[in-house]
Amino acid sequence: MSGTYPRDLIGYAGHPPNPAWPGDARIAVSIVLNVEEGGEYSILHGDDHAEYVLTDSGVSTPLMGARDLNVESAFNYGSRTGFWNVMRLLRQRSVQATIYAVGMALERNPRAAAEIRGSGFDVVCHGYRWIDYHGVPEAVERAHIAQNVAAVTAAVGRAPIGWYTGRPSPNTRRLVVEHGGFLYDCDAYDDDLPYWTEVADKPHLILPYSLDNNDARLNRGGDFAGSDDFFAYCRDAFDYLHREGGDGRPRMMSIGLHSRLIGRPGRIGGLARLLDHIQRHEGVWLTGRDAIARHWIARHPPC
């Protein structure tokens, strides 16, 4: 086989570095709340169709050329109620979390933006729009990256250092590095530890995220029927990684949340039980992604 293959199928090859988490923690746990409501596909936002992804409306294809009021209401629940339910629970449990913030969503919800600023949570850019950036012209995506940075900086009073699109284009990582100011991005699901890659001849840090320890599974494909499924799966993942950490192989665990999904009354109990389970264990560094990135850069700089 010849040529340059663009995927890394090898990684740490079964011999990952010891991350040396603070306090010799067995595991670093990153709780992420996605704030997307108000930046999704909508003809109100200049799109030619309505949103149809990660909503309880039951639609699987977009409504073209018209508003989908049921989808809009499902998203509205996230911004009006679910966001506040999740933020209240995180405060009650004294959890340091990370916000994945869509720029347009923050601009349309100044009260949520103020709550995020007051929380002290680190905020990662999650695209100026919550859309699929495949096929979006490079110049438009470049402009959206700048708009997202400006929106987050205005909302929280400091420039973001992390990036996560979620539905990136082949250009996204290069454009993020080109923009500058970011220490890391999270558009990867391929490891249980951070790692370095090279973009435009520069070292660039990746903090992998998770689509499996994620409340999106309460909607995406329906493989999680309810809060017990979410709790049991994430609990089992935590227990395995915590045990591995005790055997000298500390790892990182990401848990993805969405206000309009886990913020519902019939689901948020699963998150509460999960936080209780995690916080009953010793050797856990429950922290934001910015702290994980800074730790990795200090302890495991690029070769």
Side-chain angles (χ1 to χ4, degrees):
M1 300 177 69
S2 61
T4 301
Y5 189 60
R7 296 164 59 192
D8 180 1
L9 302 178
I10 298 173
Y12 290 122
H15 298 283
N18 187 326
W21 300 131
D24 292 324
R26 294 183 173 198
I27 182 173
V29 178
S30 166
I31 306 287
V32 173
L33 176 61
N34 292 265
V35 176
E36 302 161 341
E37 295 83 3
E40 75 278 8
Y41 283 116
S42 171
I43 65 167
L44 297 175
H45 305 156
D47 305 308
D48 62 4
H49 63 84
E51 185 57 79
Y52 63 100
V53 176
L54 296 189
T55 168
D56 284 325
S57 69
V59 299
S60 57
T61 56
L63 185 62
M64 303 300 297
R67 294 172 64 187
D68 189 323
L69 298 183
N70 287 341
V71 167
E72 288 180 16
S73 284
F75 272 73
N76 290 353
Y77 184 90
S79 61
R80 292 164 58 100
T81 304
F83 169 82
W84 301 100
N85 290 343
V86 176
M87 292 294 284
R88 187 180 307 113
L89 177 61
L90 295 175
R91 284 200 308 272
Q92 289 171 349
R93 298 300 195 274
S94 299
V95 170
Q96 180 64 33
T98 294
I99 303 293
Y100 280 180
V102 169
M104 183 181 283
L106 287 186
E107 291 173 344
R108 295 187 183 280
N109 195 339
R111 293 198 177 184
E115 176 71 11
I116 292 167
R117 179 196 287 258
S119 72
F121 295 169
D122 52 275
V123 182
V124 166
C125 285
H126 189 14
Y128 184 67
R129 299 286 315 283
W130 193 67
I131 59 174
D132 189 341
Y133 277 88
H134 277 281
V136 171
E138 183 173 323
V140 173
E141 186 174 9
R142 181 182 289 109
H144 279 195
I145 289 171
Q147 286 177 283
N148 197 176
V149 171
V152 168
T153 302
V156 302
R158 62 185 185 278
I161 62 171
W163 182 273
Y164 173 75
T165 299
R167 292 184 277 183
S169 80
N171 301 315
T172 301
R173 181 164 289 157
R174 173 176 56 81
L175 292 175
V176 166
V177 172
E178 176 187 294
H179 182 278
F182 294 102
L183 296 186
Y184 67 96
D185 83 64
C186 308
D187 275 313
Y189 315 97
D190 52 5
D191 214 303
D192 295 317
L193 283 177
Y195 61 88
W196 292 95
T197 189
E198 190 172 279
V199 181
D201 298 324
K202 300 177 183 178
H204 179 66
L205 183 62
I206 309 298
L207 264 63
Y209 186 46
S210 173
L211 295 179
D212 66 313
N213 302 314
N214 197 306
D215 67 359
R217 296 178 63 184
L218 291 160
N219 179 271
R220 186 187 65 230
D223 58 332
F224 282 2
S227 63
D228 286 344
D229 290 339
F230 171 81
F231 165 65
Y233 188 94
C234 293
R235 176 204 61 204
D236 288 353
F238 171 83
D239 287 351
Y240 175 83
L241 293 172
H242 189 268
R243 186 166 56 250
E244 285 277 291
D247 290 337
R249 293 181 293 276
R251 306 290 178 87
M252 170 183 170
M253 179 181 180
S254 298
I255 301 169
L257 310 173
H258 298 77
S259 301
R260 62 190 177 278
L261 298 177
I262 202 69
R264 296 276 180 176
R267 294 167 173 165
I268 197 166
L271 176 59
R273 292 194 295 278
L274 177 62
L275 295 177
D276 289 344
H277 180 78
I278 291 171
Q279 292 184 310
R280 280 196 293 267
H281 286 73
E282 300 291 334
V284 178
W285 187 32
L286 187 50
T287 190
R289 296 178 88 77
D290 284 5
I292 293 172
R294 294 187 190 280
H295 174 85
W296 200 266
I297 291 167
R299 297 300 297 264
H300 302 280
C303 297

